[in-house]
Amino acid sequence: MRYLFDEYALDVDRRELHRSQVVVPVAPQVFDLLEYLIRNSERVVSKDDLISAVWNGRIVSDAALTTRLNAARSAIGDTGERQRLIKTLPRKGFRFVGAVQETQSRTVEPVGSVAHSSDTTPSRPIAPRLSMVVLPFVNLSSDPQQDYFVDGVTESLTTDLSRISGSFVIGRHTAFAYKGKAVDLKQIGRDLNVRYVIEGSVQRGGNRFRVNVQLIDAETSKHLWAERFDKPVADLFDIQDEIVSRLANTLDAELIGAEARRAERSSSPDAMDLYFQGRALENRGTTPAFMAQAKSLFVRALSLDPTNLEAAVEAAQIDQIIGSAYMVDDRATHLASAERTIIKVLTLAPNHPKAHMVLGLVQMFTGRAAQGVASCERAISLDRNLAHAHAGIGLGKLFSGLGAETEAHLHTAMRLSPRDTNLHLWMLFIGLSKLALHLDVEAVAWLRRSLEANRNHPNTHFHFAAALGLNGDIEEARSAVEAGLELDPNFTIRRYRNNAPSDHPAYLAYRQHVYEGMRVAGVPAG
């Protein structure tokens, strides 16, 4: 069967999309989505209809569905703005509105080829990026009554991993079919068509829980990451939430790294390959060099696929970081660019958690701290594991002259994601709050911890230098200045002074304290 529309032909039997005589490359799920929309072009199909038909009812995040829809539109020359062929009807669903003609498939053999009956055997589809299954965790305790707790960890982790942008997570009902069975992980990968398997165990001994987790490449059975941690027994629901939050946040970073390594092996990377490579660079540190490289990758991704919302969000975040980390004099240009991009994303995907968080940070650094806090709170309501949104609220409190309230929000972020790639920033924010309270000795301790976590953040070096200067440790302060200038040679007190994100009197008084520390430490005046 072939469906002809516009200048395209969708060949269902060969699973190919043609534009004139050229094959348009599409991912398997994007092909299935197009086929379903076209087959049902006489009616509006709901989000649940699509998930049931294309993903067999598995858990799929709104961001993942939006990404696949945008990829389908891009493949047929449509966009989310024009909606010439695929129409979104708010609160109803989607409909293919192009004129469609059905024909029988044509048998087309490449020049010089010889047809064989075995050629018709369909090959196994390529597993989607960020596709995974969470196998039921094993209860290693002697008490079978702990099964409900262990199963709860599995179910909650399945749900929370589905919130990762672009993820594809097998539903818990399918995963629980493997409970208590000896399993071949490669076979599971083939059966479920996923790239990754997550397995683990929970053991209760006395007043402690021990959790072991592994992330495994389903194609090779290679262990990509493993973690073990102990928790004292307290409220079981609180423990379950904390375990799941920690795992989801850590796995997010590990999965991004795994996908980036896959992408590096591609001779012709597509938009998502470039996106994952950009994310991995972003996680290394907020130096001008890393930010420029990551931004270039996101821009390339958007040039290949202008509808890639995830790349757009990350490109906006890079602009937000450049504008807020004193890397340039024209910070307003970068922050304005970030806000324009994020507002466009939220128009297309109003429930995108990270987009709300980035918007909140932009608002904070453009004199709208209260709005920024509200945007971060909205992000948390959409994704409870978005630890950096909690950190953003803490920073917003500092900008609002409420530095005494900052630390609690940062500790919440660290509890949710204790090994987060942003951990050094959260320690920096606590250090800033200590400076705001003139607790300069405590500020030195937190800023030192921040640098131990990641030395690739110039601002931390300069604030560390200021705190040391205020404490009279001039020699170490000047060494910190030198380290900061190696990462960002253009940083000056003038640039820092001219880019204050808030005019709250208490915040400005804190800044004056920092200026003095930087001056004593030897930061260039500019």
Side-chain angles (χ1 to χ4, degrees), residues 182-217:
V183 294
D184 179 333
L185 298 182
K186 287 186 179 180
Q187 188 61 47
I188 287 177
R190 289 191 290 268
D191 291 345
L192 301 179
N193 197 33
V194 295
R195 286 188 174 183
Y196 305 103
V197 175
I198 296 149
E199 61 178 6
S201 63
V202 180
Q203 182 175 13
R204 180 171 180 175
N207 63 347
R208 299 192 71 81
F209 277 107
R210 170 169 290 176
V211 182
N212 291 278
V213 188
Q214 298 87 36
L215 172 65
I216 300 153
D217 185 320

Side-chain angles (χ1 to χ4, degrees), residues 130-313:
L130 279 183
S131 54
M132 69 197 84
V133 60
V134 182
L135 293 179
F137 278 35
V138 177
N139 176 16
L140 297 180
S141 304
S142 57
D143 181 5
Q145 292 187 9
Q146 295 298 323
D147 276 353
Y148 76 92
F149 175 81
V150 178
D151 288 350
V153 169
T154 306
E155 292 183 18
S156 295
L157 183 58
T158 299
T159 300
D160 285 13
L161 288 175
S162 72
R163 295 190 177 104
I164 297 174
S165 297
S167 66
F168 172 72
V169 185
I170 298 296
R172 65 183 180 88
H173 294 296
T174 298
F176 269 86
Y178 295 95
K179 183 173 181 178
K181 298 178 181 177
V183 294
D184 179 333
L185 298 182
K186 287 186 179 180
Q187 188 61 47
I188 287 177
R190 289 191 290 268
D191 291 345
L192 301 179
N193 197 33
V194 295
R195 286 188 174 183
Y196 305 103
V197 175
I198 296 149
E199 61 178 6
S201 63
V202 180
Q203 182 175 13
R204 180 171 180 175
N207 63 347
R208 299 192 71 81
F209 277 107
R210 170 169 290 176
V211 182
N212 291 278
V213 188
Q214 298 87 36
L215 172 65
I216 300 153
D217 185 320
E219 183 178 339
T220 64
S221 290
K222 178 182 178 181
H223 281 62
L224 302 176
W225 167 84
E227 178 70 281
R228 184 181 77 183
F229 59 90
D230 294 307
K231 286 294 298 176
V233 173
D235 182 277
L236 288 184
F237 289 111
D238 287 345
I239 291 175
Q240 181 176 306
D241 285 347
E242 184 170 339
I243 289 171
V244 170
S245 295
R246 288 184 174 202
L247 291 177
N249 278 301
T250 305
L251 281 165
D252 187 358
E254 294 297 330
L255 287 162
I256 291 297
E259 290 291 344
R261 290 189 292 274
R262 285 176 181 264
E264 288 171 358
R265 299 194 293 268
S266 173
S267 58
S268 54
D270 63 14
M272 289 306 293
D273 289 330
L274 296 168
Y275 162 77
F276 287 119
Q277 291 182 65
R279 283 286 310 275
L281 259 175
E282 209 177 345
N283 286 341
R284 290 179 62 184
T286 49
T287 68
F290 286 150
M291 294 300 96
Q293 293 174 54
K295 178 69 179 291
S296 174
L297 288 164
F298 295 134
V299 169
R300 285 175 59 197
L302 289 167
S303 71
L304 292 176
D305 179 8
T307 64
N308 189 318
L309 296 186
E310 304 312 319
V313 170

Side-chain angles (χ1 to χ4, degrees), residues 316-476:
Q317 184 165 49
I318 296 294
D319 274 325
Q320 175 262 310
I321 291 170
I322 292 172
S324 61
Y326 312 104
M327 295 183 186
V328 292
D329 286 321
D330 60 336
R331 66 189 291 271
T333 300
H334 288 274
L335 292 170
S337 175
E339 187 161 5
R340 283 194 303 271
T341 301
I342 284 299
I343 288 174
K344 184 175 180 180
V345 169
L346 288 172
T347 300
L348 297 171
N351 291 327
H352 195 297
K354 190 167 185 179
H356 282 284
M357 184 197 78
V358 174
L359 176 61
L361 292 170
V362 170
Q363 290 167 331
M364 289 176 197
F365 282 95
T366 50
R368 295 168 287 168
Q371 287 177 255
V373 168
S375 292
C376 285
E377 289 172 342
R378 172 64 173 152
I380 293 167
S381 74
L382 294 167
D383 182 355
R384 64 175 185 171
N385 295 325
L386 202 53
H388 201 49
H390 286 282
I393 292 172
L395 191 62
K397 293 294 182 72
L398 177 65
F399 292 172
S400 302
L402 300 172
E405 298 180 17
T406 293
E407 186 172 357
H409 295 283
L410 274 302
H411 281 299
T412 297
M414 289 189 284
R415 179 177 58 80
L416 290 174
S417 190
R419 299 191 181 179
D420 201 279
T421 55
N422 287 306
L423 191 62
H424 66 290
L425 290 177
W426 305 344
M427 293 174 177
L428 166 65
F429 297 165
I430 295 179
L432 302 186
S433 72
K434 297 298 183 183
L435 287 171
L437 299 172
H438 286 239
L439 301 173
D440 301 333
V441 174
E442 292 184 36
V444 167
W446 278 103
L447 294 166
R448 194 185 299 279
R449 288 180 62 185
S450 175
L451 289 172
E452 290 169 354
N454 188 331
R455 303 192 68 83
N456 288 325
H457 190 59
N459 270 349
T460 309
H461 288 280
F462 296 123
H463 283 94
F464 183 49
L468 289 167
L470 292 166
N471 278 294
D473 298 330
I474 306 303
E475 184 176 350
E476 188 178 4

Side-chain angles (χ1 to χ4, degrees), residues 67-89:
T67 297
R68 301 300 191 278
L69 277 167
N70 288 337
R73 285 187 168 117
S74 178
I76 58 178
D78 204 356
T79 68
E81 293 178 343
R82 294 170 63 199
Q83 299 192 4
R84 184 172 56 89
L85 296 173
I86 300 176
K87 193 86 172 173
T88 299
L89 291 90

